[in-house]
Structure formats: structure tokens, C-alpha cells
Amino acid sequence: MGDDHSAARPLRADARRNRDRVLQIAQEALASDGLTISFDEIARRAGFGVGTVYRHFPTKEALVEAVLLGRIERFVADARALATAEDAGRAFFGWFTTVVEQAAANQALCDMLDSGSGMALRPGSTLADDFAAALARLLARAQRVGAVRPDLQAQDVHDLLRGCLAAERRARARGGAVRMAEVICEGMRAKPTSPPPTF
Amino acid sequence: MGDDHSAARPLRADARRNRDRVLQIAQEALASDGLTISFDEIARRAGFGVGTVYRHFPTKEALVEAVLLGRIERFVADARALATAEDAGRAFFGWFTTVVEQAAANQALCDMLDSGSGMALRPGSTLADDFAAALARLLARAQRVGAVRPDLQAQDVHDLLRGCLAAERRARARGGAVRMAEVICEGMRAKPTSPPPTF
DNA sequence: ATAGAATCGGAGAGCTCTCTCCGTTTGTCC
DNA sequence: GGACAAACGGAGAGAGCTCTCCGATTCTAT
């Protein structure tokens, strides 16, 4: 009862080819134009009728997920791999920076993490929970060793990540040199000198 | 030649009343729902036919500007007032924080500063230039006294402001306690430990 | 009170977007 | 090569949005 989808019907050869092509064109289109690109436009760029694309992906959301979910899964996997790293602070900041660096290059990925657009990754999906859990674990370890401000909660970091993404994306659009992630990581860092600069 | 709009036709009493009501309802609707709210919906909430609202504001953009431009002008005015403050660092961080605090309470204002939506405040408008110039001046002074990282450019700060707004808005939506502006200001601060700049 | 101008209301034009339907074309298996 | 299922294409339904048009209504000056 698990996957009645894989072996049941091996897809005709042309269909498989076309599906792959749609996936690739959609990937490029979404990366450059973001989630707001229309389904019709993706079909047009791929050179198919819109009906054909709908045959493979029943909704726009399904297509977007087919293209992007893997990316986010990889972020989660990265976080899990770092969850036992020796230097917890380095692991946390490194992961945060990596996510920003990679996502900033993909408009649709930004839109999705940005969440503004309400598509997949909305709370309730397993992946959203996994993402949040992985982030929370990295954060907790980094805080335990005093690398990150103890008053930050996982949700705060999630929001900061989204904000950082928004900033980084804009900066890239104009060829900015400063890494936004660096600035924001600096802000999340626990202050090394306990007495605040009352001086 | 200045204002051929005020004395020419004093508007009929009912029209003036209705215009004011539209403005107020639009203000509330935009603050809570953001720039994506439809013109029809604003008219409906105000209790007018859509034609009536169009009579007063020829496009949706005009209505939005009538509601929001004043707010942004005030941010610019605040920045100018602080441009000669004694403590340049305090002036810069205080202004940044104030803008975030106030804008975060108004969805449409966020959308506009966020710029995602391409409405007013797009480059080219005088106000956008004024905003950028005021920010640049505060920043330059704060950097001169060593309060802010010297590698940050005005554009970077503008982008960080937008990112901070996005983060703060989400944090508020769930009642978060951490002030995002504080974290990000911390990140923009020049490191006290590093050698004093050029001196 | 009444004429005449100013204002209102909302149907609908015109556009875009998602998604469906079904006649036509193409691949596969014998 | 032929039969039949699978896949394709694109017109168009349906929903939402901005904005226009003009007959119906309301105000104001006399």
C-alpha cells in the first residue's frame, strides 16, 4: 500500500522525457522569477501546452514542491549532520550562512522560506517541522556553549533567517559586497565581554 | 502656480466627508492587510461603491500614497532632526530602531519599504531619494565616530532595514519578545575589540 | 422649492491567473 | 502495420483584480 505510484505504470518514454524537461525548465524559471511566475508561462518556456504540464503536476503548488522540496530537505540534512559537530557555535553560524548563501541565489526558494507566499513549507507539513527542529537543535547546542545570545528562541532565529534572506537577495540584485549573513550572525553572537560597553 | 487644488473648488461638504472616511478606512485596511488588499475591498469596507472611491483617488496607487507617504515623510524628518545630534551612534541606532518599531505595526508600510510590491517609493521618486539621503547621512556620521562598522554602505543598511522589518513583522505576528532591531543593530556595531579605526 | 451641478453606485469591460475538458496525435506491443 | 492506450495541445470556464462609464441621487445657491 506504500507507493502505488512507482512500479504500477512505468510512464511512456516520451512522457518521462517531457516530465524531466518540464522539471528542468521550471527549476530555471522559478530560480530567476520566483514563485509569482505563472504556470502558463512555465509551460510556454518549456514548449508544452499547459494541459501537458498539468498532466504531470496536478497543481502549480505540486510543481513548485517537486522543484524546491529537495533543496529544503538538503538544508535539513546539513543541519542534522552538523548537530554533532565539535564546535557548536561554528556549526550554527556556518549552517545559517550556508542556507542564506544558497537560498539567495534562488528567487523561488527565498519566496518559499520567506513564507510570504503561503505555499508549501507552511506549518503542518512534515518538512516545516523537520526544518524547525533541526534549527532548534543547532541553536540549543550553540547557546549551551555560550556562542549565541541565550535570549534568542528558535522562532526568532527562523525569522531572522527570513529577514536575512530578504536583505541578501536585495543586496545581490545590485551587486552588493557585504554579506548580510555575517552582519546578522554578529548580532546573534553572545557578547564576549560581559560588562556591556557602559564606557 | 503651487496648489491649484485647494482654493479652486472647495469640494462639496458630503464629498469632503466621504473622502475623509475613505482615507481612514483605507488606513486601517492597509495597516492590517497590507498592499495586496484589493481596491474593491477597501471600498466595500468603507461602505461606498467602487466608483465613488475612484472619484477621489484615480488609482489604487494614488490611494496608497495618500495614506502612507506622510508616514515615510515623517521618518525622513526624524532622520534630519537627528543629523546633528550629539551622539551620532545613538542617533543612528535610535532612528533605525524607531523606523522598525513603527513600520512593523503597519503591514502596508512594511510592504512598501520592503519594496517587494513595486509601489511608490520606487527609485526615482523624490521621497525615495530623500529617504536614502537621510539614512546615508546618519550612517556616515555614526561611522565617523566609530560606532558602526566602516564597511557598511548606505544601500547595505537600507537592505538590512528591510530584512529587519520582515523579521520583526513575523515575530510580532506570533507575539515574539525579542526585538529584531536590537539584534541587527548589534551586528552593525563596530567591534570594540578591533583596533580603533585609522587613528 | 427648484434648477443645475456635483457626487454616487455598481454593472461590466478587459486583463491575468489557475485549472479542466476532450478531440487529436503519438508511442507501444503484437 | 495496425489497434489501442497513453499523452499532448490549447480553447475556454471561472474567479479575481483594476478601472470606466453613465444613469440615479444628493447637495447647494437662488
Side-chain angles (χ1 to χ4, degrees):
Chain A
M1 306 308 191
D3 202 359
D4 63 355
H5 175 59
S6 56
R9 295 169 229 137
L11 268 191
R12 230 167 66 178
D14 56 338
R16 165 130 218 90
R17 235 189 349 256
N18 292 345
R19 186 179 193 283
D20 289 349
R21 173 167 173 80
V22 167
L23 227 29
Q24 186 188 326
I25 300 292
Q27 150 73 239
E28 294 167 15
L30 285 167
S32 72
D33 291 55
L35 290 183
T36 59
I37 193 171
S38 80
F39 203 95
D40 286 39
E41 174 64 15
I42 291 174
R44 204 191 54 73
R45 289 196 197 175
F48 294 113
V50 60
T52 302
V53 182
Y54 272 103
R55 160 170 286 273
H56 291 299
F57 305 96
T59 64
K60 181 183 175 183
E61 189 170 358
L63 173 57
V64 168
E65 291 185 355
V67 168
L68 294 182
L69 246 46
R71 298 281 185 126
I72 296 175
E73 275 160 7
R74 178 165 296 176
F75 291 147
V76 174
D78 288 350
R80 285 186 177 140
L82 285 166
T84 56
E86 195 177 342
D87 184 336
R90 197 180 188 78
F92 172 78
F93 290 119
W95 180 80
F96 188 98
T97 303
T98 301
V99 171
V100 171
E101 296 290 312
Q102 295 195 20
N106 187 318
Q107 179 75 50
L109 202 45
C110 288
D111 292 347
M112 198 140 137
L113 290 169
D114 234 29
S115 102
S117 308
M119 300 197 85
L121 237 214
R122 54 177 166 274
S125 84
T126 308
L127 185 54
D129 291 346
D130 290 350
F131 189 89
L135 185 157
R137 186 159 171 208
L138 278 183
L139 173 66
R141 283 188 79 232
Q143 286 175 319
R144 207 169 299 131
V145 302
V148 171
R149 294 169 54 142
D151 61 336
L152 283 179
Q153 299 189 315
Q155 281 276 27
D156 301 325
V157 174
H158 203 160
D159 291 340
L160 281 165
L161 177 65
R162 285 162 161 156
C164 186
L165 228 37
E168 178 73 20
R169 186 173 58 209
R170 310 220 107 249
R172 288 195 185 193
R174 45 161 248 266
V178 170
R179 305 276 111 179
M180 296 298 168
E182 195 214 321
V183 175
I184 287 174
C185 283
E186 213 52 56
M188 290 191 291
R189 212 153 240 144
K191 294 186 193 137
T193 55
S194 11
T198 355
F199 173 64
Chain B
M1 316 294 194
D3 205 358
D4 62 355
H5 174 57
S6 56
R9 292 170 232 138
L11 267 190
R12 228 167 65 180
D14 57 337
R16 165 130 217 91
R17 232 185 357 249
N18 292 344
R19 186 178 194 281
D20 289 349
R21 173 167 174 80
V22 167
L23 227 29
Q24 186 191 326
I25 300 292
Q27 149 72 240
E28 294 168 15
L30 284 167
S32 73
D33 291 56
L35 290 183
T36 59
I37 192 171
S38 81
F39 204 95
D40 287 38
E41 173 65 14
I42 292 173
R44 202 190 56 71
R45 289 195 196 175
F48 294 112
V50 60
T52 301
V53 182
Y54 272 103
R55 158 170 286 272
H56 291 299
F57 305 96
T59 64
K60 181 183 175 182
E61 189 171 356
L63 173 57
V64 168
E65 290 186 354
V67 169
L68 293 183
L69 245 46
R71 299 278 186 128
I72 296 175
E73 275 160 8
R74 177 166 295 179
F75 292 148
V76 174
D78 288 350
R80 284 187 177 138
L82 285 168
T84 56
E86 196 176 342
D87 185 336
R90 197 178 186 78
F92 173 79
F93 291 120
W95 180 81
F96 189 98
T97 303
T98 300
V99 170
V100 171
E101 295 292 311
Q102 295 195 21
N106 186 319
Q107 179 76 49
L109 201 44
C110 288
D111 292 347
M112 197 141 137
L113 290 169
D114 233 29
S115 101
S117 309
M119 299 200 85
L121 240 217
R122 55 177 166 274
S125 84
T126 308
L127 185 55
D129 292 345
D130 291 350
F131 188 89
L135 185 158
R137 187 160 170 208
L138 278 184
L139 174 66
R141 282 187 80 229
Q143 286 174 318
R144 207 170 299 131
V145 302
V148 171
R149 293 168 56 140
D151 62 336
L152 283 179
Q153 298 189 317
Q155 281 274 28
D156 301 324
V157 174
H158 203 159
D159 291 340
L160 282 165
L161 177 64
R162 284 161 160 157
C164 186
L165 227 37
E168 179 72 20
R169 188 173 56 209
R170 310 220 108 250
R172 287 196 186 194
R174 42 161 251 266
V178 170
R179 306 273 111 178
M180 296 298 168
E182 195 214 320
V183 174
I184 288 174
C185 283
E186 213 52 56
M188 291 192 290
R189 212 153 239 146
K191 297 195 190 122
T193 54
S194 58
T198 339
F199 182 52

